[in-house]
């Protein structure tokens, strides 16, 4: 970087306080930073580190109860805090643009996106003609690779996917060619492949538009992919500023070292990173759950025809077996059908066709008493720790509820069991009488686990159970799960989007795409020698700082999954597959065995894809 | 325009509370309008129960000699504080009895429509399918006749007694509750705690009664307070038209209707019951309004 | 286009079901209440045989479903039957007239009675709606923009007082003060349009709290939507965000309230207020019909009122789907 040129943005000793009824709390504490023209400065911090407050402060957007108490924010030497409102407003649209983490709520839901971007353009550049404005917007939509830009100009926000909407917001920000773009956690709500696409796009645009970018994220892997320099924010203080490589190789501050060490790793196993050892692969283990050709279709309204209905094919012919003691991970991006599958497996819904055999009995058709009895054997743990337990019952009563439902126990027996299971999951017994008031997310999730465990299930389905928790809590609960597995021989089904976690705890992995399992294999095979291009694309997109066996440049294509209503014949991944060839358009590949216990649904599974790049880190046996 | 921090702080605050409805109630209690309303309302309840005997005058005893006595301060005396009507009956005592009757009819009918309506709405929303469709069409049909029109028709053609009046008001009022309960249920049945209960194996009835009802009914009940006031107005209208509780039992409506003939020479006959009714409605509405606002704010997630 | 067609076909079909249900309800109700309508028509002097004959002739002794089917057959041709008590000349027949002079052709057609009354009611309702929107929208919007500040308090107290005023009592007070004492406006009956002002005002006061409350809630909750803050960060002025975006979005809940709550309330109160002011609209016709047990008039008005509500609802919902396209999905 040309450090001698004058920076376009200088922040000096910025302090922001949260005014509460009690003492004010510092959210930002004397933060200083410089952004030079054409530079990408990364800001990294956990939730609560003040990074969102910082990025909003840079566009002078600090609303009560927050208050900027001291410091200055100089844009080309002019202090934003002292600027008249009028001037600030024109500066915002024209010179400093801001994109937030939730693109779906950033625009008026009732007006077409093109019109809203034009509205902004015209208010920032009053002289511009309607025609010129429209042209410019469509041109910029093209630049972010919005398919059919001219047509989508007239579409409404709700007609875009999250990823496409984030592109719209990028257009909105860049259409006036600002000097500085504040990108506040813009990839956070997106699926990994989409996030990776956006990141790649932003990098290219940065080169074209020569805009300085302040890239804020909580993932080091994300910042690593785009930034020149990185500012580390912890507890409202800037603790370290370094080049991006320096942060990884020679972190100075203790917090940064901790951050780098705790980075979830997939290929280079950190010594303490791995929690459960893969289950023994002996062949004669009992099959506890057998899913046979299960499908589920949802009917929705079709707006293009009178009284029309259309069919969303959420789960399409899924089959797999789970052995006792296994930990199977089911991964995939949003809309892949994994949550529909979890509803079927936990028998919240019945499949349209196919069988789900739990210990040999078909739960798809079982009813009444028999079903109730079988239910004790498999339980589901849900994602939201706040909504999944009732607020009006005491904790002991919540955990006792399943025993009351299933009946047959005396009051004393129930009390005994509840106490036992509470201590097992690590809830102190004197909590039994109190309401779940003020329990932390982690403790609430323990109540959830206790409630399921009190039935002594053999199979636990974890539907994104840990994704609402922070790293530390996650790790603690994973340890708990492992202990329960050792003691009771429980089988786990992890339904998750978190590849890092699946890598650590599952011995087998199923990858879903468009309602179907495209690959089902052991942990090692999945991550090091995957047989399906989609798995490889997923892995290439994971924000990581490691050397990875799959390069995004080879595997990550543009585009999003086709909608599950009209699925074209042939391989359903072919619209995004870099290796698609003629046969893929006509013949739908079946899940076929590649090796012992490894399956993939691709014509090239046997060979024909580039070999994995050998991982640089230590592989383990 | 609350910042990210502020909004997370407030949701955390909400979560830390005992329960949603308790929070709503305490939030409402903190407002001045709720307290004003509360004191007016309970003051009037006490008055309407104890009042007539405290005053020491009978609401039905008439004496021709004492007819058209104005209230104290307008030429009347303390034997009839707020004056007398065309038959010399004490207006204050009569109005208090009217208030008591209005309250009884208002509260009972609202409780009735709340119970009937929410039960039907909850079932419709939970069960879905053709049952829902049928129940909701019936609700729509019932709602397509304004309450007052239905009440006038039925009561005008049959013999109005307190019981029939209450029944008619329930009949006319339940659909609004069914609608609300159903729409709340539609979002509620997707919530994770309902899924959780299903997975545990709880039966549908158990889920409805033990898990969902305690969660969704209190906020609906808060808004029902406002309906008590509405029903009291309707009771007065029915009395005014002559199809409410029949004389000699005094009601707001009949006293006001009596007074219309003497508007020119004895304005107080309509004014006293009218004002008393308005004041009590104000009390109820301030209270109900505060509860409703507390609910809306909480549902919006603002603190 | 397809959406509009689909929408209207679907909603009209649903609406028809509702109207038929209501018609059935009212029809049955009128036939199970105590009292024989023939007595109302012929008066107490008529002999039992004459009464029985007339009843037979009019089909009043047929089973209720048969009667209903016949009635529906008539209604679809636009014929709501003839009044039991009003003669075509306008005076009430029945009760006072004795003997067997009862003559079907002499009785007024219900449709004619209603059509003469409708314009008066429309004038009153339109005026009331106009006045109440004029009062409540500025107050409600101001309250929504300044949530928690004095306009909000003002709106709160004002609407609390407005809902607490019993409409009949307010009507009497206004008649007494404005008309009798003040001599400012005419009140009882109808001679020209000024007779509609006072009753319209009473109705407007009753309607306003509904609009004030929903406008303030709609505006204040929209102000909290992320797109409002985001718009200002994108470089648009706050005034523009409010005028172009917030008000537009706030229209949707307002339309909803108009369709579900306000029109029903207005219609119901219209009846009472017309009675209180002796205003010759549909409401007065209806209440008098109730007192006179004039069943054909009662059922016609009930069915038409319900039809009106259903239609308004459909139109309002259609308008809402045009503002917010998400509602089409
Ligand atoms: S079958 Fe063809 S299109 Fe499908 S994943 Fe394999 S190579 Fe790609």
């Amino acid at each position: 970087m040309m450090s001698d040129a004058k920076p376009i943005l200088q922040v000096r000793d910025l302090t922001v306080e949260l005014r509460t009824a009690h003492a004010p709390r510092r959210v930002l504490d004397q933060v200083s930073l410089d952004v030079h023209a054409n530079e990408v400065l990364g800001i990294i911090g956990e939730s609560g580190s003040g990074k969102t407050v910082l990025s909003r402060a840079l566009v002078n957007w600090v609303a009560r109860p927050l208050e900027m108490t001291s410091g200055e924010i100089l844009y080309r030497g002019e202090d934003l805090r002292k600027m008249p409102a009028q001037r600030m407003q024109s500066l915002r649209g024209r010179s400093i643009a801001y994109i937030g983490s939730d693109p779906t709520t950033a625009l008026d839901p009732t007006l077409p996106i093109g019109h809203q971007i034009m509205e902004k353009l015209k208010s920032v550049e009053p002289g511009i003609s309607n025609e010129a404005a429209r042209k410019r917007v469509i041109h910029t939509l093209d630049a972010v690779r919005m398919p059919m830009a001219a047509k989508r100009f007239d579409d409404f926000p709700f007609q875009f996917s999250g990823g496409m909407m984030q592109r719209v917001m990028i257009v909105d920000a860049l259409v006036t060619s600002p000097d500085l773009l504040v990108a506040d956690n813009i990839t956070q709500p997106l699926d990994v492949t989409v996030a990776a696409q956006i990141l790649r796009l932003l990098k290219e645009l940065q080169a074209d538009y020569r805009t300085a970018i302040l890239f804020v994220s909580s993932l080091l892997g994300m910042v690593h992919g785009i930034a020149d320099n990185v500012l580390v924010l912890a507890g409202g203080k800037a603790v370290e500023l370094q080049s991006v490589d320096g942060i990884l190789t020679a972190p100075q501050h203790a917090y940064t070292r901790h951050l780098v060490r705790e980075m979830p790793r997939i290929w280079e196993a950190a010594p303490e990173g791995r929690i459960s050892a893969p289950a023994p692969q002996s062949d004669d283990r009992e099959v506890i759950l057998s899913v046979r050709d299960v499908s589920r279709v949802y009917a929705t309204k079709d707006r293009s025809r009178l009284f029309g209905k259309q069919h969303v094919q959420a789960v399409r012919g899924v089959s797999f077996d789970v052995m006792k003691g296994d930990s199977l991970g089911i991964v995939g991006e949003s809309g892949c059908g994994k949550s529909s599958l979890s509803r079927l497996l936990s028998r919240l819904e019945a499949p349209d066709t196919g069988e789900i055999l739990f210990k040999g009995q078909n739960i798809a058709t079982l009813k009444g008493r028999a079903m109730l009895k079988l239910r004790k054997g498999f339980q589901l743990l849900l994602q939201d720790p706040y909504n999944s337990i009732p607020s009006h019952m005491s904790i002991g009563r919540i955990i006792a509820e399943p025993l009351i439902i299933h009946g047959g126990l005396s009051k004393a027996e129930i009390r005994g069991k509840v106490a036992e299971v509470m201590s097992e999951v690590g809830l102190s017994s004197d909590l039994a009488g109190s309401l779940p008031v003020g329990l932390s997310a982690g403790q609430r999730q323990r109540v959830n686990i206790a409630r399921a465990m009190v039935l002594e299930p053999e199979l636990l389905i974890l539907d994104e159970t840990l994704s609402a928790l922070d790293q530390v809590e996650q790790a603690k609960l994973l340890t708990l799960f492992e202990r329960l597995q050792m003691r009771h021989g429980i089988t786990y089904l992890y339904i998750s989007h978190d590849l890092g976690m699946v890598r650590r705890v599952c011995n087998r992995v199923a990858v879903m795409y468009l309602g179907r399992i495209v690959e089902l294999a052991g942990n090692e095979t999945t991550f090091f020698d995957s047989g399906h291009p989609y798995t490889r694309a997923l892995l290439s997109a994971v924000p990581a700082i490691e050397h990875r066996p799959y390069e995004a440049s080879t595997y990550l294509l543009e585009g999003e999954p086709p909608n599950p209503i009209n699925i074209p014949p042939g391989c359903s991944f072919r619209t995004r597959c870099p290796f698609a060839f003629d046969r893929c358009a006509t013949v739908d590949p079946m899940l076929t065995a590649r090796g012992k216990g490894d399956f993939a649904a691709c014509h090239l599974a046997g060979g024909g894809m580039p070999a994995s790049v050998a991982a640089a880190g230590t592989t383990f046996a | 325009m609350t910042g990210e921090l502020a909004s997370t702080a407030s949701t955390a605050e909400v979560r830390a509370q005992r329960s949603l409805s308790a929070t709503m109630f305490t939030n409402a209690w903190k407002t001045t309008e709720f307290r004003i309303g509360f004191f007016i309302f309970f003051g009037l309840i006490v008055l309407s129960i104890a009042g007539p005997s405290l005053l020491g005058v009978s609401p039905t005893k008439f004496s021709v000699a004492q007819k058209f006595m104005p209230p104290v301060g307008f030429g009347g005396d303390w034997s009839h504080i707020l004056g007398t009507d065309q038959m010399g009956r004490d207006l204050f005592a009569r109005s208090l009895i009217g208030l008591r009757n209005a309250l009884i009819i208002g509260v009972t009918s609202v409780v009735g429509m709340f119970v009937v309506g929410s039960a039907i709405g909850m079932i419709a929303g939970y069960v879905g399918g053709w049952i829902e469709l049928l129940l909701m069409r019936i609700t729509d049909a019932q709602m397509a006749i304004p309450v007052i029109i239905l009440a006038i028709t039925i009561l005008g053609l049959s013999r109005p007694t307190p019981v029939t009046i209450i029944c008619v008001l329930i009949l006319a009022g339940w659909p609004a509750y069914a609608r609300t309960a159903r729409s709340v249920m539609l979002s509620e049945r997707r919530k994770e705690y309902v899924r959780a209960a299903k997975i545990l194996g709880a039966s549908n009835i158990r889920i409805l009664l033990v898990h969902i009802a305690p969660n969704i009914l209190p906020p609906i009940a808060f808004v029902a307070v406002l309906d008590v006031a509405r029903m009291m107005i309707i009771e007065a209208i029915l009395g005014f038209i002559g199809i409410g509780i029949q004389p000699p039992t005094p009601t707001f409506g009949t006293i006001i209707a009596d007074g219309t003939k003497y508007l020119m020479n004895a304005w107080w006959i309509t004014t006293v019951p009218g004002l008393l009714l308005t004041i009590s409605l104000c009390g109820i509405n301030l209270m109900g309004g505060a509860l409703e606002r507390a609910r809306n704010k909480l549902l919006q997630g603002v603190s | 286009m397809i959406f509009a067609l689909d929408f209207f076909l679907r909603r009209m079909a649903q609406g028809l079901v509702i109207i038929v249900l209501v018609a059935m309800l009212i029809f049955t109700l009128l036939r199970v209440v105590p009292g024989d309508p023939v007595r109302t028509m012929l008066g107490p002097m008529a002999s039992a045989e004459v009464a029985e004959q007339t009843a037979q002739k009019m089909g009043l002794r047929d089973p209720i479903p048969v009667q209903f089917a016949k009635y529906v057959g008539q209604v679809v041709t636009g014929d709501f039957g003839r009044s039991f008590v009003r003669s075509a000349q306008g005076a009430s027949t029945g009760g006072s007239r004795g003997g067997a002079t009862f003559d079907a052709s002499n009785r007024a057609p219900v449709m004619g009675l209603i059509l003469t009354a409708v314009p008066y009611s429309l004038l009153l309702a339109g005026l009331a709606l106009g006045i109440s929107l004029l009062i409540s929208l500025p107050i409600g919007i101001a309250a929504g923009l300044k949530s928690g500040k004095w306009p909000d308090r003002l709106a709160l107290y004002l609407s609390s007082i407005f809902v607490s005023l019993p409409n009949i009592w307010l009507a009497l007070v206004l008649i007494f003060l404005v008309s009798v004492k003040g001599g400012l406006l005419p009140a009882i009956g109808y001679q020209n349009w000024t007779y509609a002002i006072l009753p319209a005002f009473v109705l407007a006061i009753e309607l306003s709290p509904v609009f004030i409350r929903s406008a303030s809630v709609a505006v204040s909750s929209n102000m909290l939507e992320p797109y409002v803050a985001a718009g200002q960060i994108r470089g648009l002025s706050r005034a523009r965000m409010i005028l172009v975006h917030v008000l537009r979005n706030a229209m949707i809940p307002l339309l909803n309230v108009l369709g579900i709550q306000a029109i029903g309330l207005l219609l119901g109160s219209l009846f009472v207020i017309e009675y209180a002011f002796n205003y010759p609209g549909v409401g007065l016709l209806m209440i008098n019909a109730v007192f006179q047990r004039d069943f054909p008039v009662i059922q016609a008005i009930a069915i038409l009122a319900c039809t009106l509500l259903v239609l308004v609802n459909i139109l309002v919902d259609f308008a809402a789907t045009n503002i917010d396209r998400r509602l089409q999905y």
Side-chain angles (χ1 to χ4, degrees), chain A residues 532-533 571 573-574 577 579-581 584 589 601-604:
Chain A
H532 198 283
C571 175
F573 188 57
R574 70 167 206 276
C577 179
F579 313 114
F581 58 109
C584 307
C602 172
H603 296 313
L604 299 179

